[in-house]
């Protein structure tokens, strides 16, 4: 397929760029257990992430006012702490724990491959994560974006079409000049509906060793890669 018109690549972040599950489990077991958060950390991480979609839908339906992902993560965290009967954390502790999402580690291929991909195209985040979260995460992980784009800027959450439309507009591009890169078929199909090109990158352990979702790309995607370096190879970027 001809990608000569492509000028920018936008990237899903949670699960595609960073290993959110492994990062939360690691920090939880190595830091927060000693502070009194004595939980099954794999289950805790899964439950925290599992509350993400339902919380966004509460905003979409008007049950909750618009709020960024930091605020939604805090709502879910408070519910989890109550459920697990975790007491004794100060407010400062809770703020810092909630910002574990700012300290997620990238998958091993990310840093070197993004540097390759930037040789030809603009590379930008396009995540439901808020701008501050995405900036802090990139600095923590040691990788660079040309532009930090967030659903926060559109006042919507992916996969709402406004998120992708606003990203293309902010980059001064037509949708067909942008490739959406993600490990999630739903994200890719939603971006394709507004005219983006699509690239599926395999992340078969995002949800742990027993993952059952997004193991196979949807037939509609334009390019399939095993990781970001493979994506650069398939695009002919040295």
């Amino acid at each position: 397929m001809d990608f000569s018109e492509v000028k920018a690549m936008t990237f899903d972040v949670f699960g595609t760029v960073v290993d959110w599950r492994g990062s939360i489990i690691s920090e939880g077991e190595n830091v927060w257990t000693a502070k009194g958060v004595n939980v099954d950390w794999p289950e805790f991480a899964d439950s925290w992430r599992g509350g993400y979609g339902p919380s966004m839908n509460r905003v979409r339906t008007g049950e909750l006012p618009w709020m960024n992902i930091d605020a939604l993560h805090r709502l879910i965290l408070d519910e989890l702490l109550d459920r697990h009967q975790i007491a004794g954390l100060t407010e400062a502790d809770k703020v810092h724990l909630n910002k574990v999402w700012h300290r997620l580690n990238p998958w091993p291929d990310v840093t070197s491959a993004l540097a390759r991909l930037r040789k030809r195209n603009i590379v930008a985040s396009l995540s439901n994560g808020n701008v501050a979260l995405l900036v802090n995460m990139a600095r923590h992980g040691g990788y660079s974006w040309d532009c930090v784009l967030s659903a926060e800027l559109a006042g919507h959450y992916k996969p709402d079409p406004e998120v992708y439309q606003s990203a293309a507009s902010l980059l001064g591009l037509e949708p067909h000049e942008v490739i959406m890169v993600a490990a999630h078929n739903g994200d890719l199909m939603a971006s394709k509906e507004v005219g983006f090109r699509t690239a599926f990158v395999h992340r078969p352990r995002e949800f742990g060793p027993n993952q059952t979702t997004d193991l196979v790309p949807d037939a509609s995607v334009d390019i399939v890669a095993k990781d970001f370096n493979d994506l650069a190879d398939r695009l002919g970027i040295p």
Side-chain angles (χ1 to χ4, degrees):
M1 184 169 288
D2 182 12
F3 293 98
S4 60
E5 292 186 337
V6 169
K7 297 178 181 177
M9 308 179 76
T10 55
F11 292 76
D12 172 65
V13 175
F14 297 117
T16 301
V17 173
V18 296
D19 176 12
W20 59 266
R21 188 176 190 270
S23 301
I24 291 173
I25 292 169
S26 178
E27 182 171 318
E29 292 177 343
N30 292 309
V31 176
W32 292 100
T33 297
K35 292 180 178 290
V37 189
N38 190 16
V39 297
D40 177 335
W41 278 101
E43 186 276 332
F44 194 91
D46 290 340
S47 295
W48 204 350
R49 181 66 171 173
Y52 177 70
S55 296
M56 290 190 294
N57 284 333
R58 291 174 67 191
V59 175
R60 289 189 180 101
T61 61
E63 181 183 348
L64 293 174
W66 164 261
M67 57 183 70
N68 67 24
I69 295 302
D70 272 344
L72 289 181
H73 280 155
R74 179 59 191 269
L75 285 178
I76 304 164
L77 174 62
D78 287 343
E79 292 171 1
L80 288 173
L81 293 175
D82 286 343
R83 184 189 310 169
H84 289 277
Q85 299 182 322
I86 303 298
L89 293 182
T90 66
E91 176 60 19
D93 287 335
K94 293 176 184 179
V95 169
H96 188 63
L97 174 54
N98 195 52
K99 286 190 175 180
V100 68
W101 294 94
H102 293 223
R103 300 186 292 275
L104 305 181
N105 298 317
W107 297 107
D109 54 286
V110 166
T111 302
S112 62
L114 281 181
R116 289 177 64 189
L117 294 166
R118 288 180 72 194
K119 293 177 183 179
R120 181 178 298 173
N121 299 302
I122 296 166
V123 297
S125 64
L126 185 52
S127 170
N128 282 330
N130 44 293
V131 171
L133 181 156
L134 296 170
V135 170
N136 291 337
M137 193 191 299
R139 288 178 62 83
H140 169 81
Y143 53 89
S144 299
W145 300 117
D146 291 311
C147 182
V148 174
L149 297 178
S150 163
E152 180 181 29
L153 301 173
H156 287 264
Y157 306 120
K158 293 190 302 179
D160 295 354
E162 291 88 350
V163 177
Y164 310 103
Q165 291 163 343
S166 69
S169 177
L170 287 167
L171 291 171
L173 300 174
E174 295 298 322
H176 71 271
E177 296 177 305
V178 185
I179 297 180
M180 183 72 207
V181 182
H184 311 121
N185 285 305
D187 198 354
L188 295 176
M189 288 186 287
S191 69
K192 196 173 190 70
E193 287 181 2
V194 302
F196 278 40
R197 312 297 285 277
T198 54
F200 180 93
V201 175
H202 286 276
R203 298 298 188 199
R205 294 181 66 86
E206 175 189 354
F207 291 94
N210 300 314
Q211 180 166 321
T212 59
T213 60
D214 292 313
L215 296 175
V216 178
D218 185 82
S220 68
V221 302
D222 297 315
I223 189 168
V224 178
K226 64 182 180 181
D227 59 26
F228 283 6
N229 277 306
D230 186 41
L231 178 59
D233 291 343
R234 291 174 183 274
L235 292 171
I237 301 173

